[in-house]
Coordinates of all heavy atoms in Angstrom, one line a residue:
S1182 N -15.1 -115.6 -117.1 CA -15.2 -115.4 -115.7 C -14.0 -116.1 -114.9 O -13.6 -115.5 -113.9 CB -16.5 -115.8 -115.1 OG -16.7 -117.2 -115.2
V1183 N -13.5 -117.2 -115.5 CA -12.4 -117.9 -114.8 C -11.1 -117.0 -115.0 O -10.4 -116.8 -114.0 CB -12.1 -119.3 -115.5 CG1 -10.9 -119.9 -115.0 CG2 -13.3 -120.2 -115.2
A1184 N -10.9 -116.4 -116.1 CA -9.8 -115.5 -116.3 C -9.9 -114.3 -115.4 O -8.9 -113.9 -114.9 CB -9.7 -115.1 -117.8
L1185 N -11.1 -113.8 -115.3 CA -11.2 -112.6 -114.4 C -10.9 -113.0 -112.9 O -10.2 -112.2 -112.2 CB -12.7 -112.1 -114.5 CG -13.0 -110.8 -113.6 CD1 -12.1 -109.7 -114.0 CD2 -14.4 -110.5 -113.8
A1186 N -11.4 -114.1 -112.5 CA -11.1 -114.6 -111.1 C -9.6 -114.8 -110.9 O -9.1 -114.4 -109.9 CB -11.9 -115.8 -110.8
G1187 N -9.0 -115.4 -111.9 CA -7.5 -115.6 -111.8 C -6.8 -114.2 -111.8 O -5.8 -114.1 -111.0
A1188 N -7.2 -113.3 -112.6 CA -6.5 -112.0 -112.6 C -6.8 -111.3 -111.2 O -5.8 -110.6 -110.7 CB -7.1 -111.1 -113.7
M1189 N -7.9 -111.4 -110.7 CA -8.2 -110.7 -109.4 C -7.4 -111.4 -108.3 O -6.8 -110.7 -107.4 CB -9.7 -110.8 -109.1 CG -10.5 -109.9 -110.0 SD -12.3 -110.0 -109.6 CE -12.4 -109.4 -108.0
S1190 N -7.3 -112.7 -108.3 CA -6.5 -113.4 -107.3 C -5.0 -113.0 -107.4 O -4.3 -112.7 -106.4 CB -6.6 -114.9 -107.5 OG -5.8 -115.6 -106.6
T1191 N -4.5 -112.9 -108.6 CA -3.1 -112.5 -108.8 C -2.9 -111.1 -108.4 O -1.9 -110.8 -107.8 CB -2.7 -112.7 -110.3 OG1 -2.9 -114.1 -110.7 CG2 -1.3 -112.3 -110.6
G1192 N -3.8 -110.2 -108.7 CA -3.7 -108.8 -108.3 C -3.7 -108.7 -106.8 O -2.9 -107.9 -106.2
Y1193 N -4.5 -109.4 -106.1 CA -4.6 -109.4 -104.7 C -3.3 -109.9 -104.0 O -2.8 -109.2 -103.1 CB -5.8 -110.2 -104.1 CG -5.8 -110.2 -102.6 CD1 -6.2 -109.1 -101.9 CD2 -5.4 -111.3 -101.9 CE1 -6.3 -109.1 -100.5 CE2 -5.5 -111.3 -100.5 CZ -5.9 -110.2 -99.8 OH -5.9 -110.2 -98.5
L1194 N -2.8 -111.0 -104.6 CA -1.5 -111.5 -104.0 C -0.4 -110.5 -104.3 O 0.5 -110.3 -103.4 CB -1.2 -112.8 -104.7 CG -2.1 -114.0 -104.3 CD1 -1.7 -115.2 -105.1 CD2 -2.0 -114.3 -102.8
S1195 N -0.3 -109.8 -105.4 CA 0.7 -108.8 -105.7 C 0.6 -107.6 -104.8 O 1.5 -107.1 -104.3 CB 0.6 -108.3 -107.2 OG 0.8 -109.4 -108.1
Y1196 N -0.7 -107.3 -104.5 CA -0.9 -106.2 -103.5 C -0.4 -106.5 -102.2 O 0.3 -105.7 -101.5 CB -2.4 -105.9 -103.4 CG -2.8 -105.0 -102.3 CD1 -2.5 -103.6 -102.3 CD2 -3.3 -105.5 -101.1 CE1 -2.9 -102.8 -101.2 CE2 -3.7 -104.7 -100.1 CZ -3.4 -103.4 -100.1 OH -3.7 -102.6 -99.0
R1197 N -0.6 -107.7 -101.7 CA -0.1 -108.2 -100.4 C 1.4 -108.2 -100.3 O 2.0 -107.7 -99.3 CB -0.6 -109.6 -100.0 CG -2.2 -109.6 -99.9 CD -2.7 -108.9 -98.7 NE -2.2 -109.5 -97.5 CZ -2.1 -108.9 -96.3 NH1 -2.6 -107.6 -96.2 NH2 -1.6 -109.5 -95.2
V1198 N 2.1 -108.6 -101.4 CA 3.5 -108.6 -101.4 C 4.0 -107.2 -101.4 O 5.0 -106.9 -100.7 CB 4.0 -109.4 -102.7 CG1 5.5 -109.1 -102.9 CG2 3.7 -110.9 -102.6
A1199 N 3.5 -106.3 -102.2 CA 3.9 -104.9 -102.2 C 3.6 -104.2 -100.9 O 4.5 -103.5 -100.4 CB 3.1 -104.2 -103.3
E1200 N 2.5 -104.6 -100.2 CA 2.3 -104.0 -98.9 C 3.3 -104.5 -97.9 O 3.8 -103.7 -97.1 CB 0.9 -104.5 -98.4 CG 0.5 -103.9 -97.1 CD -0.9 -104.4 -96.6 OE1 -1.2 -105.6 -96.8 OE2 -1.6 -103.6 -96.0
R1201 N 3.7 -105.7 -97.9 CA 4.7 -106.2 -97.0 C 6.1 -105.6 -97.3 O 6.8 -105.3 -96.3 CB 4.8 -107.7 -97.1 CG 3.6 -108.4 -96.4 CD 3.8 -109.9 -96.4 NE 2.5 -110.5 -96.0 CZ 1.9 -111.4 -96.6 NH1 2.3 -111.9 -97.8 NH2 0.7 -111.9 -96.2
D1202 N 6.4 -105.4 -98.5 CA 7.7 -104.8 -98.9 C 7.7 -103.3 -98.5 O 8.7 -102.8 -98.0 CB 7.9 -104.9 -100.4 CG 8.3 -106.3 -100.8 OD1 8.6 -107.1 -100.0 OD2 8.2 -106.6 -102.1
M1203 N 6.6 -102.6 -98.6 CA 6.6 -101.2 -98.2 C 6.7 -101.1 -96.7 O 7.3 -100.2 -96.2 CB 5.3 -100.6 -98.7 CG 5.2 -99.1 -98.4 SD 6.6 -98.1 -99.0 CE 6.3 -98.1 -100.7
T1204 N 6.0 -102.0 -96.0 CA 6.1 -102.0 -94.5 C 7.5 -102.3 -94.1 O 8.0 -101.6 -93.2 CB 5.1 -103.0 -93.9 OG1 3.8 -102.7 -94.3 CG2 5.2 -103.0 -92.4
A1205 N 8.2 -103.2 -94.7 CA 9.5 -103.5 -94.4 C 10.4 -102.3 -94.6 O 11.3 -102.0 -93.8 CB 10.0 -104.7 -95.2
L1206 N 10.2 -101.6 -95.7 CA 11.0 -100.4 -96.0 C 10.8 -99.4 -95.0 O 11.8 -98.7 -94.5 CB 10.7 -99.9 -97.4 CG 11.4 -98.6 -97.8 CD1 12.9 -98.8 -97.9 CD2 10.9 -98.2 -99.2
Q1207 N 9.6 -99.1 -94.6 CA 9.3 -98.1 -93.6 C 9.9 -98.5 -92.2 O 10.5 -97.7 -91.5 CB 7.8 -97.9 -93.4 CG 7.2 -97.3 -94.6 CD 5.7 -97.2 -94.6 OE1 5.0 -98.0 -93.9 NE2 5.1 -96.4 -95.4
L1208 N 9.8 -99.8 -91.8 CA 10.4 -100.3 -90.6 C 11.9 -100.1 -90.6 O 12.5 -99.6 -89.6 CB 10.0 -101.7 -90.3 CG 8.6 -102.0 -90.0 CD1 8.3 -103.5 -90.0 CD2 8.2 -101.4 -88.7
A1209 N 12.6 -100.5 -91.7 CA 14.0 -100.4 -91.8 C 14.5 -99.0 -91.7 O 15.4 -98.6 -91.0 CB 14.5 -101.1 -93.1
T1210 N 13.8 -98.1 -92.4 CA 14.2 -96.7 -92.4 C 14.0 -96.1 -91.0 O 14.9 -95.3 -90.6 CB 13.3 -95.9 -93.4 OG1 13.5 -96.5 -94.7 CG2 13.7 -94.4 -93.5
H1211 N 12.9 -96.4 -90.4 CA 12.7 -95.9 -89.0 C 13.7 -96.4 -88.1 O 14.2 -95.7 -87.2 CB 11.3 -96.3 -88.6 CG 10.9 -95.8 -87.2 ND1 10.5 -94.5 -87.0 CD2 10.9 -96.3 -86.0 CE1 10.3 -94.3 -85.7 NE2 10.5 -95.4 -85.1
Q1212 N 14.1 -97.7 -88.2 CA 15.1 -98.3 -87.3 C 16.5 -97.6 -87.5 O 17.2 -97.3 -86.6 CB 15.2 -99.8 -87.6 CG 16.3 -100.5 -86.7 CD 15.9 -100.5 -85.2 OE1 14.8 -100.3 -84.8 NE2 16.9 -100.8 -84.4
V1213 N 16.9 -97.3 -88.8 CA 18.1 -96.7 -89.0 C 18.1 -95.3 -88.3 O 19.1 -94.9 -87.6 CB 18.4 -96.5 -90.5 CG1 19.5 -95.5 -90.8 CG2 18.7 -97.8 -91.1
E1214 N 17.1 -94.5 -88.5 CA 17.0 -93.2 -87.9 C 17.0 -93.3 -86.3 O 17.6 -92.5 -85.6 CB 15.8 -92.4 -88.4 CG 15.9 -92.1 -89.9 CD 17.2 -91.3 -90.2 OE1 17.6 -90.4 -89.5 OE2 17.8 -91.7 -91.2
Y1215 N 16.3 -94.3 -85.8 CA 16.2 -94.5 -84.4 C 17.6 -94.8 -83.8 O 18.0 -94.2 -82.8 CB 15.3 -95.7 -84.1 CG 15.2 -96.1 -82.7 CD1 14.6 -95.3 -81.7 CD2 15.8 -97.3 -82.3 CE1 14.6 -95.8 -80.4 CE2 15.8 -97.7 -81.0 CZ 15.2 -96.9 -80.0 OH 15.2 -97.4 -78.7
V1216 N 18.3 -95.7 -84.5 CA 19.7 -96.1 -84.0 C 20.6 -94.9 -84.1 O 21.4 -94.6 -83.2 CB 20.2 -97.3 -84.8 CG1 21.7 -97.5 -84.5 CG2 19.4 -98.5 -84.4
K1217 N 20.5 -94.1 -85.2 CA 21.5 -93.0 -85.4 C 21.2 -91.9 -84.4 O 22.2 -91.2 -84.0 CB 21.4 -92.5 -86.8 CG 22.0 -93.5 -87.8 CD 21.7 -93.1 -89.3 CE 22.3 -91.9 -89.7 NZ 22.1 -91.6 -91.2
C1218 N 20.0 -91.6 -84.0 CA 19.7 -90.5 -83.2 C 19.5 -90.8 -81.7 O 19.8 -90.0 -80.8 CB 18.6 -89.6 -83.7 SG 17.0 -90.3 -83.4
C1219 N 18.9 -92.0 -81.4 CA 18.4 -92.3 -80.1 C 19.2 -93.3 -79.3 O 19.1 -93.3 -78.1 CB 17.0 -92.7 -80.1 SG 15.9 -91.5 -81.0
E1220 N 20.0 -94.1 -79.9 CA 20.8 -95.1 -79.2 C 22.2 -94.7 -79.0 O 22.8 -94.1 -79.9 CB 20.8 -96.4 -80.0 CG 19.5 -97.2 -80.0 CD 19.1 -97.7 -78.6 OE1 20.0 -98.1 -77.9 OE2 17.9 -97.6 -78.3
N1221 N 22.7 -94.9 -77.8 CA 24.1 -94.6 -77.5 C 25.0 -95.4 -78.3 O 24.8 -96.6 -78.6 CB 24.4 -94.8 -76.0 CG 23.6 -93.8 -75.1 OD1 23.4 -92.7 -75.5 ND2 23.3 -94.3 -73.9
Y1222 N 26.1 -94.8 -78.7 CA 27.1 -95.5 -79.5 C 27.7 -96.7 -78.8 O 28.0 -96.6 -77.6 CB 28.2 -94.5 -79.9 CG 29.2 -95.0 -80.9 CD1 29.0 -94.9 -82.2 CD2 30.4 -95.7 -80.5 CE1 29.9 -95.4 -83.2 CE2 31.3 -96.1 -81.4 CZ 31.1 -96.0 -82.7 OH 32.0 -96.5 -83.6
Q1223 N 27.8 -97.8 -79.4 CA 28.3 -99.0 -78.9 C 29.5 -99.4 -79.8 O 29.4 -99.4 -81.0 CB 27.3 -100.2 -78.8 CG 26.1 -99.9 -78.0 CD 25.1 -101.0 -78.1 OE1 25.5 -102.2 -78.2 NE2 23.9 -100.7 -77.9
L1224 N 30.6 -99.9 -79.1 CA 31.7 -100.3 -79.9 C 31.3 -101.6 -80.7 O 30.7 -102.5 -80.1 CB 32.9 -100.6 -79.1 CG 33.6 -99.4 -78.5 CD1 34.7 -99.8 -77.5 CD2 34.1 -98.4 -79.5
P1225 N 31.7 -101.6 -82.0 CA 31.3 -102.8 -82.8 C 32.3 -104.0 -82.4 O 33.4 -103.7 -81.9 CB 31.5 -102.4 -84.2 CG 32.3 -101.2 -84.2 CD 32.2 -100.6 -82.8
P1226 N 31.8 -105.2 -82.5 CA 30.5 -105.6 -83.0 C 29.5 -105.4 -81.9 O 29.8 -105.7 -80.7 CB 30.7 -107.1 -83.3 CG 31.8 -107.6 -82.4 CD 32.7 -106.4 -82.3
A1227 N 28.3 -105.0 -82.3 CA 27.2 -104.7 -81.3 C 25.9 -105.0 -82.0 O 25.8 -105.0 -83.2 CB 27.3 -103.3 -80.8
E1228 N 24.9 -105.2 -81.2 CA 23.5 -105.3 -81.7 C 22.7 -104.2 -81.0 O 22.7 -104.2 -79.7 CB 23.0 -106.7 -81.4 CG 21.6 -106.9 -82.0 CD 21.1 -108.4 -82.0 OE1 22.0 -109.3 -81.9 OE2 19.9 -108.6 -82.1
Y1229 N 22.0 -103.4 -81.7 CA 21.1 -102.4 -81.2 C 19.7 -103.0 -81.1 O 19.2 -103.7 -82.0 CB 21.1 -101.2 -82.1 CG 22.4 -100.4 -82.0 CD1 23.3 -100.5 -83.0 CD2 22.6 -99.5 -81.0 CE1 24.5 -99.7 -83.0 CE2 23.8 -98.7 -80.9 CZ 24.7 -98.9 -81.9 OH 25.9 -98.1 -81.9
P1230 N 18.9 -102.5 -80.1 CA 17.5 -103.0 -79.9 C 16.6 -102.4 -81.0 O 16.9 -101.3 -81.5 CB 17.2 -102.6 -78.5 CG 18.0 -101.4 -78.3 CD 19.3 -101.6 -79.0
A1231 N 15.5 -103.0 -81.3 CA 14.5 -102.5 -82.2 C 13.7 -101.5 -81.4 O 13.5 -101.5 -80.2 CB 13.6 -103.6 -82.7
F1232 N 13.1 -100.5 -82.2 CA 12.3 -99.5 -81.6 C 11.0 -100.2 -81.1 O 10.6 -101.3 -81.6 CB 12.0 -98.4 -82.6 CG 11.2 -98.8 -83.8 CD1 9.9 -98.8 -83.9 CD2 11.9 -99.3 -84.9 CE1 9.2 -99.2 -85.0 CE2 11.2 -99.7 -86.0 CZ 9.9 -99.6 -86.1
Q1233 N 10.2 -99.5 -80.3 CA 9.0 -100.1 -79.8 C 7.9 -100.0 -80.8 O 7.9 -99.0 -81.6 CB 8.5 -99.3 -78.5 CG 9.5 -99.4 -77.4 CD 9.5 -100.8 -76.8 OE1 8.5 -101.4 -76.7 NE2 10.7 -101.2 -76.3
G1234 N 7.0 -100.9 -80.9 CA 5.9 -100.9 -81.8 C 6.0 -101.5 -83.1 O 5.3 -101.2 -84.1
V1235 N 6.9 -102.5 -83.2 CA 7.1 -103.3 -84.5 C 5.8 -104.1 -84.7 O 5.4 -104.8 -83.7 CB 8.4 -104.2 -84.4 CG1 8.4 -105.0 -85.7 CG2 9.6 -103.3 -84.3
P1236 N 5.2 -104.1 -85.8 CA 3.9 -104.8 -86.0 C 4.1 -106.3 -85.9 O 5.2 -106.9 -86.1 CB 3.5 -104.5 -87.5 CG 4.3 -103.2 -87.8 CD 5.5 -103.3 -87.0
A1237 N 3.0 -107.0 -85.5 CA 3.0 -108.4 -85.4 C 3.5 -109.1 -86.7 O 3.1 -108.7 -87.8 CB 1.7 -108.9 -85.0
G1238 N 4.3 -110.1 -86.5 CA 4.8 -110.9 -87.7 C 6.1 -110.4 -88.2 O 6.8 -111.1 -88.9
Y1239 N 6.5 -109.1 -87.9 CA 7.7 -108.5 -88.4 C 8.8 -108.6 -87.2 O 8.4 -108.5 -86.1 CB 7.5 -107.1 -88.8 CG 6.8 -106.9 -90.0 CD1 5.4 -106.7 -90.0 CD2 7.4 -106.9 -91.3 CE1 4.7 -106.6 -91.2 CE2 6.7 -106.7 -92.4 CZ 5.3 -106.6 -92.4 OH 4.6 -106.4 -93.6
E1240 N 10.0 -108.7 -87.6 CA 11.1 -108.6 -86.7 C 12.2 -107.7 -87.3 O 12.5 -107.8 -88.5 CB 11.7 -110.0 -86.4 CG 12.8 -110.0 -85.4 CD 13.3 -111.5 -85.1 OE1 12.5 -112.4 -85.4 OE2 14.4 -111.6 -84.6
V1241 N 12.8 -106.9 -86.5 CA 13.8 -105.9 -86.9 C 15.0 -106.2 -86.1 O 15.0 -106.1 -84.9 CB 13.3 -104.5 -86.7 CG1 14.4 -103.5 -87.2 CG2 12.0 -104.2 -87.5
T1242 N 16.2 -106.5 -86.8 CA 17.4 -106.6 -86.1 C 18.4 -105.7 -86.6 O 18.4 -105.4 -87.8 CB 18.0 -108.1 -86.2 OG1 18.1 -108.4 -87.6 CG2 17.1 -109.1 -85.5
T1243 N 19.3 -105.2 -85.8 CA 20.3 -104.2 -86.2 C 21.7 -104.6 -85.6 O 21.8 -104.7 -84.4 CB 20.0 -102.8 -85.7 OG1 18.6 -102.5 -86.1 CG2 20.9 -101.8 -86.2
I1244 N 22.6 -104.8 -86.5 CA 24.0 -105.2 -86.2 C 24.9 -104.1 -86.6 O 24.8 -103.6 -87.7 CB 24.4 -106.5 -86.9 CG1 23.4 -107.6 -86.6 CG2 25.8 -106.9 -86.5 CD1 23.3 -108.1 -85.2
A1245 N 25.8 -103.8 -85.7 CA 26.9 -102.8 -86.0 C 28.2 -103.5 -86.2 O 28.6 -104.4 -85.5 CB 27.0 -101.8 -84.8
S1246 N 28.9 -103.1 -87.2 CA 30.2 -103.7 -87.5 C 31.2 -102.6 -87.8 O 30.9 -101.4 -88.1 CB 30.1 -104.6 -88.7 OG 29.6 -104.0 -89.8
E1247 N 32.5 -102.9 -87.7 CA 33.6 -101.9 -87.9 C 33.6 -101.6 -89.4 O 33.3 -102.3 -90.3 CB 34.9 -102.5 -87.6 CG 35.1 -102.8 -86.1 CD 36.4 -103.3 -85.8 OE1 37.4 -103.0 -86.5 OE2 36.5 -104.1 -84.8
V1248 N 34.0 -100.3 -89.7 CA 34.3 -99.9 -91.0 C 35.8 -100.2 -91.2 O 36.7 -99.6 -90.5 CB 34.0 -98.4 -91.2 CG1 34.4 -98.0 -92.6 CG2 32.5 -98.2 -91.0
N1249 N 36.2 -101.1 -92.1 CA 37.5 -101.6 -92.2 C 38.6 -100.6 -92.6 O 39.8 -100.8 -92.3 CB 37.6 -102.8 -93.1 CG 36.8 -104.0 -92.6 OD1 36.7 -104.1 -91.4 ND2 36.2 -104.8 -93.4
D1250 N 38.3 -99.6 -93.3 CA 39.3 -98.7 -93.8 C 39.5 -97.5 -92.8 O 40.1 -96.5 -93.2 CB 39.0 -98.2 -95.2 CG 37.6 -97.4 -95.2 OD1 36.9 -97.5 -94.3 OD2 37.4 -96.7 -96.3
R1251 N 39.1 -97.6 -91.6 CA 39.2 -96.5 -90.6 C 40.1 -97.0 -89.5 O 40.1 -98.2 -89.1 CB 37.9 -96.1 -90.0 CG 36.9 -95.7 -91.1 CD 37.2 -94.4 -91.7 NE 36.3 -93.4 -91.1 CZ 36.5 -92.1 -91.3 NH1 37.5 -91.6 -91.9 NH2 35.6 -91.3 -90.7
D1252 N 40.9 -96.1 -88.9 CA 41.8 -96.4 -87.8 C 41.2 -96.3 -86.5 O 41.6 -96.8 -85.5 CB 43.1 -95.5 -87.9 CG 43.9 -95.8 -89.1 OD1 43.9 -97.0 -89.6 OD2 44.6 -94.9 -89.5
S1253 N 40.1 -95.5 -86.4 CA 39.5 -95.3 -85.1 C 38.1 -95.9 -85.0 O 37.6 -96.4 -86.0 CB 39.3 -93.8 -84.8 OG 38.4 -93.2 -85.8
N1254 N 37.5 -95.9 -83.8 CA 36.2 -96.5 -83.6 C 35.1 -95.5 -83.6 O 34.2 -95.5 -82.8 CB 36.2 -97.4 -82.3 CG 36.9 -98.6 -82.5 OD1 36.9 -99.3 -83.5 ND2 37.6 -99.1 -81.4
V1255 N 35.2 -94.4 -84.4 CA 34.2 -93.4 -84.4 C 33.1 -93.6 -85.5 O 32.2 -92.9 -85.5 CB 34.8 -92.0 -84.5 CG1 35.8 -91.7 -83.4 CG2 35.6 -91.9 -85.9
L1256 N 33.3 -94.5 -86.3 CA 32.4 -94.8 -87.4 C 32.1 -96.3 -87.5 O 33.0 -97.1 -87.4 CB 32.9 -94.3 -88.8 CG 32.0 -94.3 -89.9 CD1 30.8 -93.4 -89.7 CD2 32.7 -94.0 -91.2
Q1257 N 30.8 -96.6 -87.6 CA 30.5 -98.0 -87.8 C 29.4 -98.2 -88.8 O 28.7 -97.2 -89.1 CB 30.0 -98.6 -86.4 CG 28.7 -97.9 -85.9 CD 28.4 -98.4 -84.5 OE1 27.2 -98.5 -84.2 NE2 29.3 -98.8 -83.6
M1258 N 29.3 -99.3 -89.4 CA 28.3 -99.7 -90.4 C 27.2 -100.4 -89.6 O 27.4 -101.3 -88.8 CB 28.8 -100.6 -91.5 CG 27.7 -100.9 -92.5 SD 28.2 -102.0 -93.8 CE 29.0 -100.7 -94.8
I1259 N 26.0 -99.9 -89.8 CA 24.8 -100.6 -89.2 C 24.0 -101.2 -90.3 O 23.8 -100.7 -91.3 CB 23.9 -99.6 -88.4 CG1 23.5 -98.4 -89.2 CG2 24.6 -99.2 -87.1 CD1 22.5 -97.5 -88.4
T1260 N 23.7 -102.5 -90.0 CA 22.9 -103.3 -91.0 C 21.6 -103.6 -90.3 O 21.6 -104.3 -89.3 CB 23.7 -104.6 -91.3 OG1 25.0 -104.2 -91.9 CG2 22.9 -105.4 -92.4
V1261 N 20.5 -103.2 -91.0 CA 19.2 -103.5 -90.5 C 18.5 -104.5 -91.4 O 18.5 -104.4 -92.6 CB 18.3 -102.2 -90.5 CG1 16.9 -102.5 -90.0 CG2 18.9 -101.1 -89.6
T1262 N 18.0 -105.6 -90.7 CA 17.3 -106.7 -91.4 C 15.9 -106.7 -90.9 O 15.7 -106.8 -89.7 CB 18.1 -108.0 -91.2 OG1 19.4 -107.9 -91.5 CG2 17.4 -109.1 -91.9
V1263 N 15.0 -106.7 -91.8 CA 13.6 -106.8 -91.5 C 13.1 -108.2 -92.0 O 13.2 -108.5 -93.2 CB 12.7 -105.7 -92.1 CG1 11.2 -105.8 -91.8 CG2 13.2 -104.3 -91.6
T1264 N 12.5 -109.0 -91.2 CA 11.9 -110.2 -91.6 C 10.4 -110.2 -91.3 O 9.9 -109.5 -90.4 CB 12.5 -111.4 -90.8 OG1 12.3 -111.2 -89.4 CG2 14.0 -111.5 -91.1
Y1265 N 9.7 -111.0 -92.1 CA 8.3 -111.2 -91.9 C 8.0 -112.7 -91.9 O 8.3 -113.3 -92.9 CB 7.5 -110.5 -93.0 CG 6.0 -110.7 -92.9 CD1 5.3 -110.0 -91.9 CD2 5.3 -111.5 -93.7 CE1 3.9 -110.1 -91.7 CE2 3.9 -111.7 -93.5 CZ 3.2 -111.0 -92.6 OH 1.9 -111.2 -92.4
S1266 N 7.4 -113.2 -90.9 CA 7.1 -114.6 -90.8 C 8.3 -115.5 -91.0 O 8.3 -116.5 -91.7 CB 6.0 -115.0 -91.7 OG 4.8 -114.3 -91.4
G1267 N 9.5 -115.0 -90.5 CA 10.7 -115.8 -90.6 C 11.5 -115.6 -91.9 O 12.5 -116.2 -92.1
K1268 N 10.9 -114.9 -92.9 CA 11.6 -114.7 -94.2 C 12.1 -113.3 -94.3 O 11.4 -112.3 -93.9 CB 10.6 -114.9 -95.4 CG 10.1 -116.3 -95.5 CD 9.1 -116.4 -96.6 CE 9.3 -117.5 -97.5 NZ 8.4 -117.6 -98.6
T1269 N 13.3 -113.1 -94.7 CA 13.9 -111.8 -94.9 C 13.2 -111.0 -96.0 O 13.1 -111.5 -97.1 CB 15.4 -111.9 -95.2 OG1 16.1 -112.6 -94.1 CG2 16.1 -110.6 -95.4
R1270 N 12.7 -109.8 -95.6 CA 12.0 -109.0 -96.6 C 13.0 -107.9 -97.1 O 12.8 -107.5 -98.3 CB 10.8 -108.3 -96.0 CG 9.8 -109.3 -95.5 CD 9.2 -110.2 -96.5 NE 8.5 -109.5 -97.5 CZ 7.8 -110.1 -98.5 NH1 7.8 -111.4 -98.6 NH2 7.2 -109.4 -99.4
L1271 N 13.9 -107.4 -96.2 CA 14.7 -106.3 -96.6 C 15.9 -106.2 -95.8 O 15.9 -106.5 -94.6 CB 13.9 -105.0 -96.5 CG 14.6 -103.7 -96.9 CD1 14.8 -103.7 -98.4 CD2 13.8 -102.5 -96.5
V1272 N 17.1 -105.8 -96.4 CA 18.3 -105.5 -95.6 C 18.8 -104.2 -96.2 O 19.0 -104.0 -97.4 CB 19.4 -106.6 -95.9 CG1 20.7 -106.3 -95.1 CG2 18.8 -108.0 -95.4
I1273 N 19.1 -103.3 -95.2 CA 19.7 -102.0 -95.6 C 20.9 -101.7 -94.7 O 21.0 -102.2 -93.6 CB 18.7 -100.8 -95.6 CG1 18.2 -100.6 -94.2 CG2 17.6 -101.0 -96.6 CD1 17.3 -99.3 -94.1
E1274 N 21.8 -100.9 -95.2 CA 23.0 -100.5 -94.5 C 23.2 -99.0 -94.5 O 22.8 -98.3 -95.4 CB 24.3 -101.2 -95.1 CG 24.3 -102.7 -95.1 CD 25.5 -103.3 -95.8 OE1 26.0 -102.6 -96.7 OE2 25.8 -104.4 -95.4
D1275 N 23.7 -98.5 -93.4 CA 24.0 -97.1 -93.2 C 25.1 -97.0 -92.2 O 25.6 -98.0 -91.7 CB 22.7 -96.4 -92.7 CG 22.7 -94.9 -93.1 OD1 23.8 -94.3 -93.4 OD2 21.6 -94.3 -93.1
Y1276 N 25.5 -95.7 -91.9 CA 26.6 -95.5 -91.0 C 26.2 -94.7 -89.8 O 25.3 -93.9 -89.9 CB 27.7 -94.7 -91.7 CG 28.3 -95.5 -92.9 CD1 27.9 -95.4 -94.2 CD2 29.3 -96.5 -92.6 CE1 28.4 -96.1 -95.2 CE2 29.9 -97.2 -93.6 CZ 29.4 -97.1 -94.9 OH 29.9 -97.8 -95.9
K1277 N 26.8 -95.0 -88.7 CA 26.6 -94.3 -87.4 C 27.9 -93.8 -86.9 O 28.9 -94.5 -86.9 CB 25.9 -95.2 -86.4 CG 25.7 -94.5 -85.0 CD 25.0 -95.5 -84.1 CE 24.8 -94.9 -82.7 NZ 23.8 -93.8 -82.7
A1278 N 28.0 -92.5 -86.5 CA 29.2 -91.9 -86.0 C 29.1 -91.7 -84.5 O 28.0 -91.5 -84.0 CB 29.5 -90.6 -86.7
D1279 N 30.2 -91.8 -83.8 CA 30.3 -91.5 -82.4 C 30.5 -90.0 -82.2 O 31.6 -89.5 -82.4 CB 31.4 -92.3 -81.7 CG 31.4 -92.2 -80.2 OD1 30.4 -91.7 -79.7 OD2 32.4 -92.6 -79.6
R1280 N 29.4 -89.3 -81.9 CA 29.5 -87.9 -81.8 C 29.3 -87.4 -80.4 O 28.5 -87.9 -79.6 CB 28.4 -87.2 -82.7 CG 28.7 -87.5 -84.1 CD 27.7 -86.8 -84.9 NE 27.8 -87.2 -86.3 CZ 27.2 -86.7 -87.3 NH1 26.4 -85.7 -87.1 NH2 27.4 -87.1 -88.5

């Protein structure tokens, strides 16, 4: 019974970690799409606001930086960082064009 209780505890903790990671992935993906379609282009370096409705405990930050191999300011790299309780859960990067 001790082994069963230990296995159940480990399984529950693994489930919670997977749930937080999946939530972080969904938040980051949503934020990338939100910035690409809904936010006006800002010259880098810039910080875009997070979308409304980020769950409690999570924080989403988005930083825009220059793409170094380009001569113009029509393309930027956006980096989205999702934290939970102050710990970084996920960082993803994508590109935004000034259209």
Side-chain angles (χ1 to χ4, degrees):
S1182 67
V1183 172
L1185 179 61
M1189 290 178 64
S1190 175
T1191 301
Y1193 177 74
L1194 292 175
S1195 297
Y1196 167 77
R1197 296 293 296 161
V1198 168
E1200 180 182 42
R1201 288 185 188 127
D1202 287 346
M1203 183 56 69
T1204 301
L1206 177 60
Q1207 291 171 342
L1208 291 171
T1210 303
H1211 184 78
Q1212 179 67 15
V1213 166
E1214 295 305 318
Y1215 173 75
V1216 168
K1217 288 170 69 173
C1218 78
C1219 302
E1220 287 294 321
N1221 293 329
Y1222 187 88
Q1223 300 176 30
L1224 290 176
E1228 186 169 340
Y1229 288 100
F1232 64 93
Q1233 298 292 324
V1235 175
Y1239 289 91
E1240 184 177 337
V1241 179
T1242 56
T1243 307
I1244 305 294
S1246 58
E1247 292 182 31
V1248 177
N1249 292 331
D1250 60 347
R1251 304 288 256 167
D1252 293 331
S1253 65
N1254 286 324
V1255 297
L1256 186 67
Q1257 62 186 214
M1258 178 179 283
I1259 53 173
T1260 304
V1261 177
T1262 304
V1263 179
T1264 59
Y1265 178 76
S1266 297
K1268 293 175 133 182
T1269 300
R1270 300 301 296 183
L1271 182 68
V1272 177
I1273 62 172
E1274 296 177 334
D1275 204 342
Y1276 295 94
K1277 178 178 178 71
D1279 186 13
R1280 297 180 186 191

